[in-house]
Amino acid sequence: MANFDKQQMIAEFKKQFGFVPPCSMGAGDLGEDMQKIISEYHHIIWGEGVIPLKYRYLIALATAIYGDDDVRAKLELLKALNHGATREEIIEVFRQQVWMKGAHTIVKLSPLIKFMDTIYKAQHDGESSGH
């Protein structure tokens, strides 16, 4: 694995995504070869692709909601918003998940809607103040 440079991997992730995905760093505990494989796979999934990134984040949001992963749902919601998803698109994803998983999902969505509205308000307040 002489051609794998961990510092270069970290720099590339920070440049492309603004952070280093935890799975890429955690994979290092399983060996440098695993870290290289997981890092390359992450770039394949979240790099340029046929489906625009905004929609891939909406798909990830849907799977997080369906999988009852509240922490992941907030993260994917934030990424979707940061990549141009509208409130209406996100609400449509939420409505779909109620259909897919059942009416009890509405209870799980309430904190996500509040989180989304907080993010939206902060983004729009920043725009109106010239930031």
Side-chain angles (χ1 to χ4, degrees), residues 30-49:
L30 302 176
E32 192 175 89
D33 58 339
M34 283 296 289
Q35 190 168 40
K36 180 179 187 296
I37 291 167
I38 295 299
S39 296
E40 289 172 351
Y41 187 55
H42 185 278
H43 284 294
I44 290 168
I45 299 305
W46 298 109
E48 292 297 320

Side-chain angles (χ1 to χ4, degrees), residues 2 4-5 18 25 46 50 63 73-74 76-77 84 94 97 119 122:
F4 179 69
D5 182 338
M25 291 307 294
W46 298 109
V50 176
T63 59
K74 279 187 173 180
E76 301 305 342
L77 172 60
F94 290 169
Q97 292 312 297
I119 299 299

Side-chain angles (χ1 to χ4, degrees), residues 3 13 18 25 30-32 48 59 69 72 89 114 123:
N3 62 349
F13 272 121
M25 291 307 294
L30 302 176
E32 192 175 89
E48 292 297 320
I59 293 167
D69 189 341
R72 176 56 106 192
E89 289 171 324
K114 287 180 183 168
Q123 288 177 343

